[in-house]
Amino acid sequence: MSESQNELTTGSRPHGLIPMRGRDPHDAERSASPLELLYDLTVVVAFSIAGGEFAHAIVSDHLWNGLVAFAITMFAVIWAWLSFTWFASAYDTDDWAMRLAVLLQMIGVIIVALGVPALFEGMNEWHVDNGVVVAGYVVMRVAMITLWLRAAHADPNRRPALVKYAGLLFAVQVAWVVLALNPFPIEVVVPAMAVLFFLEMAGPRMIEGRQTTTPWHPHHIAERYGLIMIISFGEVILGTTTAVEAVVSEVGWSVDAALIALAGVAVTVGLWWNYFAIPYAQVLEVRSDKGWVFGLGHIPVIASVAGVGTGLHVAAYYIQGEGDISEGGAVLSAAVSMAVFIVLFFALVHRMLPGRDLFHVVLIALMGLSLLAAVLMGYSNLPLGWSLVVLSLTPWISVVGYETRGHGHVTRMLERVRSGAPS
């Protein structure tokens, strides 16, 4: 049991203040806390609103405008979640101050979510109406500043790095406020936002280097990332439900409705099977120097899965006859997001584990052909359900590959790293 947990159980009050001296990174019982799971509920809301707005932008012929707004929203929410998760892995005390800091972050996520419609609407005219989104983001980051300073006060050995984290966050938040309060043109705002996000992301590498010194727990981190991936898979289920509901409302229960339901659930399970085929906790144990890659590499992976759900939501709009979208365009919107996930997922795995397997190239090529076939079927005006069924086969190609051969490659690479072989 960690020192924090000992103090918690022996204290006179169940949630009295506990010094943030750092949790034991080798705690065998470390897992996600109920507080973290509660925080995740706000992320569900933000993902859902962003996906719905993006789908509406696509069918309204504002693809690129919507893509920029979707990227800004997803990045802001995921990055704030990510930085909190790594901090909590190292310093979570579950005392009243920690709980109130999380409450503040949850308020920030909700504010961001409430500002998403205005962001998308403004972006349709290439105007960045990001005042509410920035306000919510700053609220989340102010909560993190207080947590970093609190940890710095209680953990003298790591104080220099922790103070730098707080200082960097404070400086960047001032810049965010200046950017939001001034009517800069989009040509200035978007590059400036990219620079500010980069500074926050580069913080761990600049402050701690390749090998971080904060005592994060590999199994806890792997579990937390698995949970946010499940939230993003939930967006695929939501998109599926929306599409099936559209079919039922138009023509009642039919073969097409059944096929769309089958395809959506099959896509979700296939993507889930792919992601959880990798033993991330074991990989992080032996490749702790890749924590930075693991953490940041997940941002576009998570967003791409949510994008698949957006594509299915677009299919619902097509079925209802809303907007200017063809069947092929609806299938393409889901296929592109799935293609992005496939490429990024394999790239992340290859960065985390040494060695290359040409079999992966074969799998990626076959999945690409499956996506292409689904899109061509969509543009051939075949029933939408059949196009989505072919689309749903794509992740299962990799599932079969892993179950027949890929698992052996992962095991060999882990053994290679454990033996000290160069990567």
Side-chain angles (χ1 to χ4, degrees):
M1 183 177 288
S2 68
E3 180 180 358
S4 295
Q5 290 172 308
N6 273 322
E7 292 186 37
L8 181 60
T9 57
T10 58
S12 58
R13 291 175 295 171
H15 298 290
L17 286 177
I18 299 172
M20 284 187 168
R21 300 193 181 104
R23 296 190 59 134
D24 181 4
H26 305 293
D27 184 355
E29 299 179 359
R30 185 72 167 104
S31 61
S33 70
L35 183 63
E36 290 173 307
L37 300 179
L38 182 66
Y39 174 43
D40 289 352
L41 293 179
T42 58
V43 176
V44 174
V45 175
F47 280 12
S48 179
I49 294 177
E53 291 290 334
F54 188 25
H56 187 267
I58 292 173
V59 300
S60 301
D61 200 24
H62 290 111
L63 168 62
W64 299 110
N65 317 65
L67 180 61
V68 174
F70 182 73
I72 291 172
T73 304
M74 295 297 291
F75 196 96
V77 174
I78 296 171
W79 171 245
W81 175 93
L82 182 154
S83 57
F84 164 73
T85 292
W86 285 82
F87 177 89
S89 186
Y91 290 103
D92 184 14
T93 53
D94 195 30
D95 55 22
W96 65 262
M98 183 72 180
R99 291 186 172 201
L100 292 181
V102 173
L103 181 151
L104 188 60
Q105 291 201 56
M106 293 171 69
I107 291 173
V109 178
I110 295 300
I111 294 173
V112 169
L114 293 174
V116 168
L119 176 65
F120 273 85
E121 184 177 351
M123 197 62 70
N124 288 342
E125 303 298 330
W126 290 118
H127 167 65
V128 184
D129 186 357
N130 65 340
V132 178
V133 171
V134 169
Y137 184 77
V138 171
V139 167
M140 290 189 286
R141 307 311 276 155
V142 167
M144 282 305 307
I145 292 172
T146 64
L147 288 174
W148 282 118
L149 290 176
R150 186 182 165 199
H153 175 75
D155 190 356
N157 293 331
R158 303 184 183 94
R159 183 172 298 156
L162 303 182
V163 170
K164 288 178 183 177
Y165 276 123
L168 174 63
L169 279 183
F170 179 80
V172 173
Q173 301 323 299
V174 171
W176 276 116
V177 172
V178 171
L179 191 63
L181 293 179
N182 289 275
F184 296 114
I186 191 171
E187 294 82 4
V188 174
V189 175
V190 172
M193 294 178 73
V195 171
L196 294 179
F197 277 135
F198 173 79
L199 287 174
E200 289 203 34
M201 288 191 300
R205 201 62 176 264
M206 293 188 301
I207 294 170
E208 297 191 67
R210 181 184 292 270
Q211 189 73 46
T212 59
T213 58
T214 49
W216 55 273
H217 194 293
H219 287 265
H220 175 253
I221 289 294
E223 181 185 7
R224 292 295 291 133
Y225 273 78
L227 290 170
I228 196 171
M229 286 298 299
I230 287 176
I231 290 173
S232 62
F233 293 139
E235 288 303 299
V236 184
I237 293 293
L238 178 60
T240 301
T241 304
T242 305
V244 173
E245 184 181 27
V247 173
V248 173
S249 64
E250 290 293 320
V251 299
W253 286 100
S254 63
V255 173
D256 214 29
L259 289 175
I260 292 172
L262 171 64
V265 176
V267 165
T268 306
V269 176
L271 294 176
W272 167 86
W273 201 319
N274 273 270
Y275 179 80
F276 286 99
I278 307 300
Y280 298 102
Q282 296 177 44
V283 174
L284 286 171
E285 276 186 324
V286 297
R287 301 299 302 273
S288 59
D289 60 314
K290 297 295 184 181
W292 192 75
V293 173
F294 178 85
L296 298 187
H298 266 78
I299 296 176
V301 172
I302 295 166
S304 65
V305 173
V308 176
T310 297
L312 292 172
H313 199 153
V314 169
Y317 277 123
Y318 162 75
I319 294 166
Q320 294 169 332
E322 297 184 23
D324 184 20
I325 190 75
S326 66
E327 179 181 328
V331 177
L332 181 63
S333 61
V336 169
S337 294
M338 193 179 298
V340 172
F341 168 82
I342 291 167
V343 172
L344 294 177
F345 170 70
F346 276 91
L348 179 63
V349 172
H350 279 271
R351 286 290 296 163
M352 295 296 296
L353 288 171
R356 299 293 178 264
D357 191 343
L358 291 178
F359 186 55
H360 289 175
V361 177
V362 175
L363 292 178
I364 293 172
L366 291 174
M367 286 188 284
L369 290 175
S370 176
L371 290 176
L372 178 60
V375 172
L376 291 177
M377 288 176 64
Y379 280 106
S380 299
N381 292 321
L382 293 171
L384 177 63
W386 290 111
S387 300
L388 293 180
V389 166
V390 173
L391 182 78
S392 72
L393 295 176
T394 303
W396 289 90
I397 294 172
S398 182
V399 169
V400 172
Y402 173 80
E403 293 296 330
T404 57
R405 174 173 170 175
H407 64 282
H409 173 75
V410 172
T411 301
R412 289 192 299 273
M413 292 305 100
L414 273 174
E415 291 175 349
R416 178 179 172 182
V417 174
R418 289 193 180 104
S419 68
S423 59

